[in-house]
Amino acid sequence: MDKIKKITNKQKGIILIILSAFNFSVMNTLVKFVEDVPSIEKAMFRNAVALLFTFIILVKTKVNKEKTEDKPKRHFLPNKGNEKILLIRSIAGTLGLAFLYISIDRIDLTDATMLNKLSPFFMILFSYIFLKEKIYKPQIIALIIAFLGAMLVIRPTFSIEVIPYIIGMLSGLFAGLAYTCVRYLSSKGERSSIIIFYFSLTTIIILSPVLYFVYVPLNKFQFMLLILSGLFASFGQFALTKAYSLAPSKEISIYDYSQMIFSSIWGYFVFAQVPNSLSLTGYFVILVASMYMYLYNNKKMPL
C-alpha cells in the first residue's frame, strides 16, 4: 500500500487562503445584515475586536528574550526603520476598510466584494510607484481588462446611484496600497501581529472623532453580530498572512477570488440578491484578468 503523501506548503497555503476568503465573506455578510448602524461604527467595532485579539497574542508571545544591540526587546514596537511604511499601511487599510463597509451597506454584497478584489491590480501600480518594480506588458493588459470589468459592475452614469460603486472601487485601491506596504514590511521581517495591531489601533484613532457624531446604541443582537464579524475578520486576516508565509502570492493569490463565490451564496440565500447580467459579465472579465495574471506570474503564458 502506497504511503499517503504529505501535504505540501503550497497546498496548505491554498487551503488557508480559501479559509481566509470564507471568513471574510462571513464578516461582510454579518456587516450587511446589521441594519440601522453606521458603516463607520461597524468598521470601528471590527477593528476593536482585532485590536484586542492581537494585543493578547503580543502579550503572550515572547519576543527576543535577551536584549542585544542587533535584536532589542520590542514586544509592541515594530522593527526599526519600518515605522513610516507601517503608518502608511495602517492609514490606507483604515480607508479601505471604511470604504468597503460603506459599499457593502449600499450595494449588492457580491458587487462590493468584487470591486474590493481589484486590489491586486492596484498593487501592480503601487509596486511600480513605491517599490520601483517594473510593469510588464501582460500586467498592463490585465489592468486594462480588470478596469473594463469594473466598469461593467459599476455601470457608470450621471446618477448619484453610482457613488457607492465608486466607493467600492476606492476600497480596492486603498486595499492595494495597504497590501503593497504589507509586502514591503514582510520582506523586512515585520511580524504579522504587529502589522494587524497597528492597523487596528490606527483605525480606532482615525474613526473615533467621526463616530462621536454618528454613534448609534447597539442592541444585544447587533452587538453579538458585530463581535462575530470582528472574530471572523481576525481569523481571516491571520489565515491570509499564514497562507502567504507558506507559498508565494503568485502561486496561490488566484484562490482568494473564492470569496466572490462565498459572497454570491450569502447574497442569494441571506439577502435574495441576484446579480444582473452586466455585473455577471463584469465578474467574468475581472476573473479572466486575474487568471491571465496568474498564468503569467507562474510562467505559463508567454510575454
Side-chain angles (χ1 to χ4, degrees):
M1 185 176 179
D2 294 333
K3 292 182 178 180
I4 299 175
K5 292 183 179 180
K6 290 184 177 180
I7 187 170
T8 65
N9 281 344
K10 180 179 177 180
Q11 290 169 330
K12 291 178 183 177
I14 292 171
I15 293 170
L16 282 170
I17 206 167
I18 293 175
L19 180 62
S20 169
F22 173 79
N23 276 275
F24 281 127
S25 73
V26 175
M27 177 202 76
N28 292 343
T29 303
L30 291 171
V31 166
K32 189 171 183 65
F33 193 80
V34 178
E35 297 179 341
D36 303 322
V37 175
S39 305
I40 297 301
E41 186 171 346
K42 295 177 185 179
M44 280 277 293
F45 214 99
R46 179 257 201 234
N47 270 14
V49 175
L51 181 67
L52 177 62
F53 195 78
T54 50
F55 177 81
I56 293 171
I57 290 175
L58 288 170
V59 166
K60 292 190 174 184
T61 301
K62 295 180 179 179
V63 181
N64 299 330
K65 293 180 182 179
E66 297 182 2
K67 183 177 179 180
T68 65
E69 185 177 346
D70 295 331
K71 295 183 177 181
K73 191 174 181 179
R74 298 166 69 86
H75 277 272
F76 286 92
L77 295 176
N79 295 336
K80 288 184 177 179
N82 286 348
E83 295 87 353
K84 182 179 178 181
I85 300 300
L86 184 59
L87 178 61
I88 295 173
R89 181 269 179 268
S90 299
I91 294 174
T94 297
L95 293 172
L97 178 66
F99 287 148
L100 172 62
Y101 277 26
I102 291 170
S103 64
I104 286 173
D105 278 343
R106 289 161 177 78
I107 61 178
D108 284 0
L109 184 62
T110 313
D111 283 358
T113 299
M114 184 52 77
L115 291 172
N116 181 254
K117 287 303 174 185
L118 291 171
S119 56
F121 301 100
F122 287 116
M123 280 182 68
I124 296 172
L125 292 177
F126 287 125
S127 295
Y128 171 75
I129 295 170
F130 297 111
L131 304 183
K132 307 304 178 184
E133 295 181 356
K134 292 180 67 175
I135 297 182
Y136 296 96
K137 183 179 177 182
Q139 294 173 312
I140 295 173
I141 293 172
L143 277 168
I144 295 172
I145 294 173
F147 179 77
L148 292 174
M151 290 303 99
L152 289 171
V153 176
I154 294 172
R155 301 179 292 279
T157 64
F158 292 102
S159 169
I160 196 172
E161 294 178 359
V162 78
I163 293 177
Y165 291 90
I166 300 298
I167 290 174
M169 193 170 181
L170 286 174
S171 78
L173 184 148
F174 282 107
L177 176 56
Y179 292 145
T180 303
C181 293
V182 169
R183 275 188 56 204
Y184 174 86
L185 291 167
S186 297
S187 70
K188 297 298 181 181
E190 196 56 77
R191 291 168 286 160
S192 58
S193 52
I194 282 288
I195 297 173
I196 298 171
F197 177 81
Y198 279 98
F199 161 45
S200 302
L201 180 61
T202 301
T203 298
I204 291 173
I205 293 172
I206 291 177
L207 298 185
S208 288
V210 181
L211 184 63
Y212 177 80
F213 295 100
V214 301
Y215 174 75
V216 172
L218 302 174
N219 59 42
K220 290 182 180 179
F221 184 62
Q222 292 170 329
F223 181 82
M224 180 188 69
L225 290 182
L226 290 180
I227 284 285
L228 286 173
S229 75
L231 289 174
F232 275 105
S234 299
F235 296 150
Q237 190 65 61
F238 277 98
L240 185 66
T241 303
K242 183 63 176 177
Y244 285 129
S245 72
L246 291 171
S249 61
K250 69 178 183 179
E251 295 182 2
I252 64 174
S253 59
I254 190 69
Y255 297 97
D256 193 30
Y257 282 89
S258 59
Q259 185 178 339
M260 188 198 73
I261 298 173
F262 296 129
S263 294
S264 297
I265 293 171
W266 301 134
Y268 179 76
F269 286 103
V270 179
F271 305 108
Q273 295 175 346
V274 180
N276 60 38
S277 58
L278 279 178
S279 286
L280 288 172
T281 304
Y283 302 162
F284 176 76
V285 171
I286 294 172
L287 287 173
V288 167
S290 303
M291 181 59 71
Y292 181 76
M293 279 304 306
Y294 171 78
L295 294 173
Y296 167 70
N297 287 333
N298 288 277
K299 308 302 180 184
K300 294 177 181 178
M301 181 175 288
L303 289 172

